[in-house]
Amino acid sequence: MKIGRITLSDRASQGVYEDKSGPEIERIISRTFEEPSEFIRVLIPDDAEKLRAELIRLCDVEKCPLVLTTGGTGPSKRDITPETTQKVLDKELPGFGEIMRYYSYERVRSAVLSRATAGIRGESLIINLPGRPKAVKFCLLLLREAIAEGLEHITGKRPVLFVDPIEIPLEKYLPFLKWLKPNKDPRDAVLPRR
């Protein structure tokens, strides 16, 4: 599956520090879906026009079924990811942002400041993720079932998820993951072996 991933960071795009959130997206996603992933990597500053152009390119030209952004979801003046994303969507799916805020708040109180959203453009699912690698990992674990379900509705093809858990202490995530599959073992929502 072709996946676009966009990191928004003024400093990382200038080489002040290394982008760690984009590679974390790749690490988690490659251990989420059985189908091999081909990543299209984008690193840009917090610039609305550049983000808009990249979202359109990844959805309309590259035909990525899944586009994940990281960074720019907070309340500061330079954080422009959610409103820019909303402008290119055909349909907004606010539940993604709501569930990330709800469960992240139990771990980090500042999660309430996130404005992350998600939605559909053509046959692509776009999701805004937080900017910190640990938050990227946590949110992708929360969303893995919803991403698979969304892709099935949008593209007609549901990606197969790995279910063999690895590396995440179950007792740490169990309270947050029970909602994913009420009739199945919540360990199914934990990172799989690769």
Side-chain angles (χ1 to χ4, degrees), residues 17 20 25 40-41 49 61 66 71 73 82 85 109 143 162 192:
Y17 60 70
K20 294 186 178 178
I25 287 173
I40 299 178
R41 302 168 183 92
E49 282 309 309
V61 179
L66 180 61
T73 60
T85 300
R109 295 303 189 212
L143 299 175
F162 283 116

Side-chain angles (χ1 to χ4, degrees), residues 33-168:
F33 302 123
E34 286 189 2
E35 180 183 348
S37 300
E38 173 193 344
F39 291 95
I40 299 178
R41 302 168 183 92
V42 178
L43 174 58
I44 56 174
D46 295 291
D47 180 284
E49 282 309 309
K50 288 181 180 177
L51 175 58
R52 181 180 179 280
E54 289 297 339
L55 288 171
I56 292 171
R57 179 180 72 86
L58 292 171
C59 295
D60 299 359
V61 179
E62 298 291 345
K63 304 291 186 188
C64 296
L66 180 61
V67 177
L68 301 169
T69 70
T70 175
T73 60
S76 78
K77 289 182 180 179
R78 296 288 295 162
D79 291 330
I80 48 78
T81 304
E83 56 268 38
T84 305
T85 300
Q86 288 168 332
K87 289 176 183 174
V88 304
L89 296 176
D90 300 325
K91 292 181 180 178
E92 189 170 10
L93 300 172
F96 282 89
E98 291 164 4
I99 211 72
M100 285 189 281
R101 281 183 288 277
Y102 181 83
Y103 285 100
S104 296
Y105 182 75
E106 298 220 11
R107 302 173 72 233
V108 181
R109 295 303 189 212
S110 60
V112 74
L113 299 173
S114 171
R115 300 176 303 116
T117 191
I120 301 165
R121 178 180 175 88
E123 293 190 1
S124 299
L125 174 61
I126 302 171
I127 303 171
N128 300 153
L129 295 169
R132 295 177 186 262
K134 284 185 180 179
V136 165
K137 177 180 182 178
F138 182 75
C139 289
L140 283 174
L141 285 171
L142 286 174
L143 299 175
R144 65 195 302 267
E145 288 285 341
I147 292 171
E149 180 81 12
L151 289 172
E152 182 178 17
H153 285 281
I154 296 164
T155 68
K157 182 181 176 192
R158 184 186 185 96
V160 178
L161 299 172
F162 283 116
V163 293
D164 186 22
I166 187 174
E167 87 176 57
I168 305 297

